[in-house]
Amino acid sequence: MPQFAANLNWLYTELPFDQRFEAAARDGFRAVEIMSPYACPVAELKALLTANGLQLVLLNTPPGGTDAASIEAAWASPDCRGTACLPGHEAEFSAGFSLALDYAQQLDCPRIHVMAGLLPDGMEREAAQATYVANLRRAAAQASLAGVNVLIEPINTRDMPGYFLNRQDHAHAVLDEVGAENLTVQMDLYHCQVVEGDLATKLRRYLPTGRVGHIQIAGAPGRNEPDLGEINYPYLFALLDELGYGGWVGCEYKPVRGLAPGATADGLGWLAEASRGMPAF
């Protein structure tokens, strides 16, 4: 069975942030993802992880900004979804990545997802691509010195209109262009289903390359529990085992079952079924 990590910005939102760690551990998770940890001091995060026996396996670079206040403001703006592809924002990207790397090192987090950003109106993709590759090359070199992996994630433009990176083949072409061993793809099966579909074929194509560094899941089309919607996750979980995937599977979805304060836990029946041998939902 794959190893599952709870995304604490999507799951357990019925609870205050500092209580989500205990809830995730109680429900059987051994690892978590945090999209934006920067409003919380490192020492506090470390204490929460340690107290609940959890490993932080993924965090994101800031969507914009260079300190806690400006990063939170960027998250609140629909126009800020990363700076890696934006010409003229190289200094902002560098500062944000350095902050992410500092958090990753102090929290023993092995992966940083670099948010690409939205393609500005009227800008040629070639200009954004050149900036994206140059920023990724510098970031990967910086992270390599710290033993940290850098990830890029194709995101669908229905949920995030204008996002620069949308397809798996584009992401793997970027890896070829950057040429860094510690740069891999974060393959979110929900986003891939919305944009491309054919998930099993893509897993069979890309997992054997060793260049998929992290996987995320959600049901489609609603981005809710993975046993809701059109994706046959029991089949895909078995396929991950067949292909020898040993990484984490991040649970990045919007729970819709149950009522607060048990909304997230009430929708984890799929996880219990998976742990019993992955029968059909």
Side-chain angles (χ1 to χ4, degrees), residues 158 190 193-194 218-226 228-231 233:
R158 184 180 72 195
Y190 162 76
Q193 174 70 4
V194 173
R223 203 173 189 178
N224 304 123
E225 284 89 344
L228 295 177
E230 64 197 24
I231 301 177
Y233 275 114

Side-chain angles (χ1 to χ4, degrees), residues 12 16 44 63 102 104 113 122 134 167 203 223 230 235 242 280:
Y12 303 104
E44 183 177 336
D102 180 57
H113 165 216
R167 297 182 58 86
L203 286 170
R223 203 173 189 178
E230 64 197 24
Y235 172 78
E242 176 188 327

